Each structure stands twice: as C-alpha cells, then as structure tokens.
Amino acid sequence: RMQDVSERYRTLTIYKCKYDQQELDDAYSLPDQWRALKDEALTKDRRMVKVKERFANVTQQQVSEFSEKCKELFKNFKYEGPGAADIELDEGAELMKKFDIDVKQFQKRREELVKAQTLFNLPIQPYPELLQLEKDLRLLQQVYKVFLDHSTMVNDYSNALWTKFDITALTNSAENFEKLVRKMPKETKELGELPTFHKLEEVVTSFKTAVPLIQQLKADAIGKTHWEELMKIANVEVGDFDLKKMTLNSVFAMQLARFPDEVNEIVVTAVNEQKIEGELAKID
C-alpha cells in the first residue's frame, strides 16, 4: 500500500498535476516512518518480555489460589449447603440464596482469570469443583422452586377461615403438587438420588395425606369439643378456642397426617353422637 501511494504521486508528477508538496514529502517518507514505528514496537515488545513473565507468574498464582477457594466452597456446599442431609428445607431455601450469590461471584472471577490466561498464553484451568457445584446447584434449584411454590400455596390457604375455605380447590392443589413431584425424577434421574428431593416428597405427600382428613373434619357433626380433643392429640395449645374464627393455619399446624386413625375415630364418634342426638330429639 505504501508503494501504491508513492506510485500515485509519481504518476501525478509525470502528468504535471497539482498537489501539495507536503503531501508528496509525507508519501515518500511513509516507508521510513513505518520502519521506525515497527522498530519501536519490537523494542517495546522485547522490553515487555520480563513484564509479561512477571504478570504471567502472578496470574498462575492467582489461578492456584482461586482453585483452592473453589475446592473450599464446594466442600462447604457439600457438607453445610442446601443439599446436605441434615439441612431442613426451610433452612436450605435460605442457603440457596447465599450459594447462588457465591457461585455468581466465583463465575465472574473465573472469567477474569480465563481472560488473563488467554492474554499470557497460559493453559486454561478447568476448576472441576466449581463445575460440579454449578451442576448440583441447578438440580437443587428445581427442588427448592417446587418447595417454595408449595409453601406459598400453603400460606395462601392458611389465612382462610375454616368455615369458608374451598376444600375442592385445596384438594386439587395438593394433588397437582404430588403429580409434579412424582414426575420430576422421571424427567431428571439425578433428582431421585438427592436427599433434599426425598424431603420435598415427604412434605408434599404429607400435606396431600392430610387433605382427606381435613375434608372429614368438615362434617357438620364435628364441634368444638371434638376439635379440642384433636388439638390435645396433636399437642397444640387449645387456648381460647373459637371455631368461627379458626383459620386453616391452625389446622395445618396440627400436621394431621401423623394421626389418621385418631382423626377417623373422632369423626366416627362425632357422627354417631349426632345420630343419637337426632334420634333422641325425635323421641322428645
């Protein structure tokens, strides 16, 4: 291209065309300027060799330190994180937020180090512990999403008055969650191996098991004394009990799935008492 520029000005000179003399001088000096610039660049590049080596060593040290931090984070996640066997789902849901933030920070740091390694022609470190943590976290996110959705559903019904809530809607909600949980390990086999998933199964199944018992207690024969008896069985404080003001939250707190036989017995007794009272009323 420099020769092309020179050739154009030579042609202009041959045909005696007008042009700025400074332009001609600049055109003919291009090769010299280019050689000077190239020499300067090569000189600076040679001077930067030691600097590059120093920064490459710093980067390698940072990579090594980050690798150890990844191992420590994964160890913490494995034994004290949301997927640990002794962590309950409520606590695990909070831990999910913490580890989600941690992983995003580590991912950002990994990207920075990869760019530095690329710049200094260093081999890219894979960080297998961080990769495994990302995979495990994605699996747990599926579990905890369903758990949080289920908790939201339960909380929404909790404020409903016992005398006015829709038992059919509650039944449908419980069944839908059970179907969803049953389908999850079929779509993602790894979920079936997680202790956290089995805890979710237990929560959802227990709630669904309690719904038919709740439905039985909707019988007209169930009165204040029967509820008080049930609360004592469930070890729930009776206090100043008012059936008209009672919400589903009080019923959920009893965890009726633990006492199916007792609930059935109370319901049968209440129905029989109602029949006897009805027959006595006829006699009177």
Side-chain angles (χ1 to χ4, degrees), residues 59 105 107-117:
T59 298
Q105 291 175 342
Q107 288 172 334
K108 182 179 179 180
R109 181 56 177 158
R110 177 178 59 190
E111 290 175 5
E112 293 172 351
L113 290 174
V114 167
K115 289 178 181 178
Q117 288 173 303

Side-chain angles (χ1 to χ4, degrees), residues 23-238:
E23 289 183 8
L24 178 63
D25 295 339
D26 291 341
Y28 284 131
S29 67
L30 277 177
D32 293 333
Q33 292 181 43
W34 170 248
R35 280 191 293 272
L37 179 62
K38 184 178 179 181
D39 291 341
E40 183 180 358
L42 291 173
T43 299
K44 287 187 176 182
D45 186 61
R46 284 192 293 269
R47 290 174 180 173
M48 288 294 293
V49 169
K50 291 184 178 180
V51 176
K52 288 181 180 180
E53 289 178 354
R54 184 169 71 253
F55 277 102
N57 291 332
V58 170
T59 298
Q60 287 179 317
Q61 180 62 32
Q62 290 175 337
V63 167
S64 178
E65 292 173 356
F66 181 67
S67 180
E68 291 302 315
K69 289 181 179 179
C70 288
K71 292 176 182 177
E72 185 64 26
L73 180 66
F74 180 68
K75 181 180 178 181
N76 188 24
F77 176 82
K78 184 176 181 180
Y79 294 106
E80 300 178 15
D86 59 343
I87 298 295
E88 296 301 324
L89 293 176
D90 286 321
E91 182 183 359
E94 293 301 315
L95 287 171
M96 283 293 291
K97 298 176 184 177
K98 173 188 177 302
F99 278 96
D100 183 59
I101 293 173
D102 289 343
V103 168
K104 286 179 180 177
Q105 291 175 342
F106 271 64
Q107 288 172 334
K108 182 179 179 180
R109 181 56 177 158
R110 177 178 59 190
E111 290 175 5
E112 293 172 351
L113 290 174
V114 167
K115 289 178 181 178
Q117 288 173 303
T118 303
L119 179 63
F120 298 118
N121 293 321
L122 297 173
I124 305 300
Q125 177 78 13
Y127 310 111
E129 291 82 9
L130 183 57
L131 292 173
Q132 185 61 48
L133 198 160
E134 290 170 336
K135 178 182 177 182
D136 292 346
L137 198 63
R138 283 194 296 270
L139 285 174
L140 287 173
Q141 283 170 344
Q142 297 181 51
V143 175
Y144 279 101
K145 181 182 184 307
V146 175
F147 170 69
L148 292 174
D149 289 345
H150 186 269
S151 298
T152 299
M153 179 269 293
V154 173
N155 289 333
D156 289 343
Y157 279 106
S158 294
N159 296 322
L161 290 173
W162 170 255
T163 55
K164 295 184 178 181
F165 85 95
D166 187 346
I167 185 63
T168 301
L170 179 63
T171 301
N172 290 338
S173 296
E175 290 177 349
N176 289 338
F177 272 102
E178 188 193 41
K179 290 177 183 176
L180 174 61
V181 170
R182 229 178 20 239
K183 184 172 63 175
M184 289 173 68
K186 295 179 182 178
E187 295 179 347
T188 309
K189 292 182 179 180
E190 296 94 327
L191 286 174
E193 302 172 2
L194 299 179
T196 308
F197 175 74
H198 296 301
K199 293 175 188 176
L200 174 66
E201 277 185 315
E202 184 179 346
V203 168
V204 172
T205 302
S206 178
F207 184 82
K208 181 180 179 297
T209 302
V211 172
L213 301 176
I214 293 173
Q215 188 169 17
Q216 290 182 50
L217 292 170
K218 289 287 287 182
D220 294 335
I222 304 297
K224 181 177 179 179
T225 56
H226 303 110
W227 276 108
E228 290 175 346
E229 181 182 354
L230 188 57
M231 287 179 177
K232 290 179 181 178
I233 294 172
N235 197 26
V236 174
E237 186 176 349
V238 177

